[in-house]
Amino acid sequence: MNQTPKAQVLVRQAASLLQQGFSQKAQQAINLAFQQGAASGVAWDIYAQACANLNQVQPAILGLKKAISLDGGRLDRALLLGQMLVRAGQWQDAANIYQQVIQQDDSQAKAWFGLGESLLGTKDVERALRCFSGALEREPDFPEARQRLAVCFLEKGEALKALRLLEKLISDFPDAVGPKVDYGEALRQANRYRQAQQELEKLQDHPVVGALARRRLVDVYLHTGEYDLAEQFLDGMDEVHQKEPDWILQRVRLDNIYGRNAEACERLRFLLQSEPGIANGWKQLMELTKSPLSDGELSCLKEQARLASKFGRQSTAADFHFALAFHFELTGERELEFRSLEKGNNLKHGLIRFDFDNYLSRVQPSRECYSAENIHEWSADSKARPCPAPIFILSLPRSGSTLVEQILGVHEDAEATGESDFAEQAWFALTGERSLFSAPELHRQMSAEKVEKFRQYYLAAAAEAGFDTRKRLVNKGINNHKFAGLLKAAFPEASFIDLRRNIMDVAFGCYRQNFASQLFSFSMDGCAREVALFYDNMAFWYNQLPAQEFHSLYYETLVNNFEPQVRELLAYCALSWDPRCLEFQRAKGKVSTASINQVSQGLFTQGVARWKKYEAYLGPMMDALRSHGLEPLRD
């Protein structure tokens, strides 16, 4: 169709206004052009871009589809259409667009980024991570891809990797506020609560990211026990934000803390009726009610699992299968529970592809640098710079470390620090390496001077995170047993608790827990190898250090003979008797691991020999343990 001269003038005028940044005026001009008969793909391009700039998402999508129907799917049109579909939450349609672009031109970093956004929208974090990495391979200085890669690491629970990316991004782009909000969240996930609070409070009134900063501050306050502040922030949100899933889930958690379970359940059910795709919400509902789902709720959960698998959202589908397993645990249907666990773990294992052999090739050489002679030679002079001796819990996940930490953390002379990454922070300050196991040669190069610096950096990190270093810092870092020699050299006066539990309860406990960051846990062999690594590490340390350096504690003995065991534990740690340690469940906040529900309920004796209920299905787990030198049926 030929355009009238007046329509052509209006199209050119709209294009000029758009180029100058006057999107609303450009939109008005192009609408007048349409009234004068304009019908070209270029006119619809201008209209779509103006709508996109004004955040009018659906009109922008319609305009782009019209332009494509008239003139074809040029690259710029396809990329903008994908971007608008992402904004609209039409993840699959957006993914289809970006995949078509990549098939035609694999070099397009923006297409890889857009595909990553689409996959992240469906919670397919592993595939999204690979797409953002692909974008950076093609365009290394792509700041948005760097930020979203960090978000993927946060979703996976890998806070240290996220911190490394975000610190560099903030350094390169100091005026960008988006990375700073994510940085605050990364600090929170790394248990650096004081720093997270400081960073997020700077942004809480920002016109663009303020609402997100305030929501993340609520998570900080919920962890540190500042419940009044958390409630104040939640109540202060506007009505729009109070309808969002994040707000409702935070409110549910606060209601649960205050014992308002009826209100919490009502909110959660309301949320799941409108947002049934929140897999963890289903499990949270069952934890609150302590009862299985109704028939209707179970059908809905199964349908969500089916849809997630159908549309390739394997990570989300796995989360639903873990939620189904919890339902069947509550109904006592053991086989259905186990099969759901199996499906969830298989899906996660297929996505993650964890290489245990490669991991061992870095952990064991690092450990072996700390012989008895080296530990003695490198030991820091604690008398020259006195501080209360830290308490390190050496244990596997699901061994009861949260219980022991909370018992000790109640004491007036101690402070629980959770799984805080002070050792990793100190190692980075000392060597520039984020992981303690990335470069074994750095451990071979240790010296008394370097160990002294490590000690100083460790205590500085604890102080900066808001912990009182005048107290005995209790750390239950799940990797402590892998570098106990370094900790002993840095803190010769420290107390080391060798915490163990029945190996089948530990191995199966890891397998049945939908861990975000324990990548070994999604296969039976991986669980068995991690257990075997712990026993191998502890045997190594007992060969290097006198047995009296460790306090041997068994979970089963602790929960069945509680007070005498607590007395022995306090005596070993040189802490005076404090009866409050017997009432650890009253501790204020600061439980954020997978054990939060057991700890808040008090002494959890139901965990003893729990694996025996599933013995009929755990033959492969027993075989895996035996293949790695452990006898699963020993007491």
Side-chain angles (χ1 to χ4, degrees), residues 192-376:
R192 304 184 198 176
Y193 297 102
R194 182 181 175 185
Q195 293 167 273
Q197 182 177 341
Q198 291 171 344
E199 293 297 326
L200 292 169
E201 283 179 345
K202 294 175 190 175
L203 302 167
Q204 62 181 316
D205 296 320
H206 193 279
V208 177
V209 300
L212 178 57
R214 290 192 294 275
R215 285 204 300 273
R216 289 183 168 170
L217 269 170
V218 169
D219 286 328
V220 173
Y221 295 143
L222 286 173
H223 181 90
T224 58
E226 303 296 332
Y227 303 137
D228 291 343
L229 279 175
E231 189 157 38
Q232 178 184 329
F233 269 58
L234 288 171
D235 289 343
M237 298 279 185
D238 58 44
E239 290 187 7
V240 173
H241 284 107
Q242 289 190 14
K243 294 178 182 177
E244 293 181 352
D246 285 347
W247 185 94
I248 295 173
L249 291 171
Q250 288 174 326
R251 189 79 223 195
V252 164
R253 185 177 172 192
L254 188 61
D255 286 340
N256 186 29
I257 288 168
Y258 280 131
R260 301 191 292 249
N261 276 20
E263 294 93 328
C265 291
E266 183 179 352
R267 291 183 198 276
L268 202 47
R269 283 198 167 98
F270 175 79
L271 172 62
L272 291 171
Q273 285 175 2
S274 58
E275 300 279 353
I278 302 175
N280 291 334
W282 292 101
K283 187 173 184 221
Q284 194 172 356
L285 177 62
M286 290 182 276
E287 288 172 342
L288 285 170
T289 61
K290 297 181 177 60
S291 61
L293 301 173
S294 68
D295 290 344
E297 290 167 337
L298 179 60
S299 295
C300 183
L301 179 54
K302 288 180 176 179
E303 176 63 9
Q304 290 300 313
R306 187 190 70 80
L307 290 172
S309 293
K310 177 181 178 181
F311 292 110
R313 307 194 317 262
Q314 302 304 325
S315 183
T316 303
D319 292 339
F320 281 118
H321 285 298
F322 278 104
L324 281 168
F326 191 62
H327 166 83
F328 292 127
E329 178 189 351
L330 292 171
T331 63
E333 297 175 87
R334 299 285 178 243
E335 182 168 1
L336 290 174
E337 177 192 354
F338 188 80
R339 297 309 170 203
S340 296
L341 283 175
E342 205 170 36
K343 288 179 182 177
N345 277 299
N346 287 342
L347 286 169
K348 286 286 181 79
H349 183 64
L351 289 169
I352 290 170
R353 305 170 185 170
F354 181 56
D355 186 343
F356 209 105
D357 288 328
N358 179 266
Y359 182 60
L360 278 182
S361 72
R362 291 179 285 113
V363 171
Q364 289 179 325
S366 300
R367 174 196 75 184
E368 288 163 8
C369 296
Y370 297 91
S371 63
E373 294 76 16
N374 285 343
I375 292 173
H376 177 74

Side-chain angles (χ1 to χ4, degrees), residues 39-68:
S40 66
V42 172
W44 284 106
D45 282 333
I46 295 167
Y47 172 78
Q49 186 63 67
C51 290
N53 294 348
L54 296 168
N55 204 30
Q56 298 170 359
V57 176
Q58 289 302 330
I61 292 172
L62 292 173
L64 286 163
K65 289 182 175 179
K66 186 69 174 176
I68 290 170

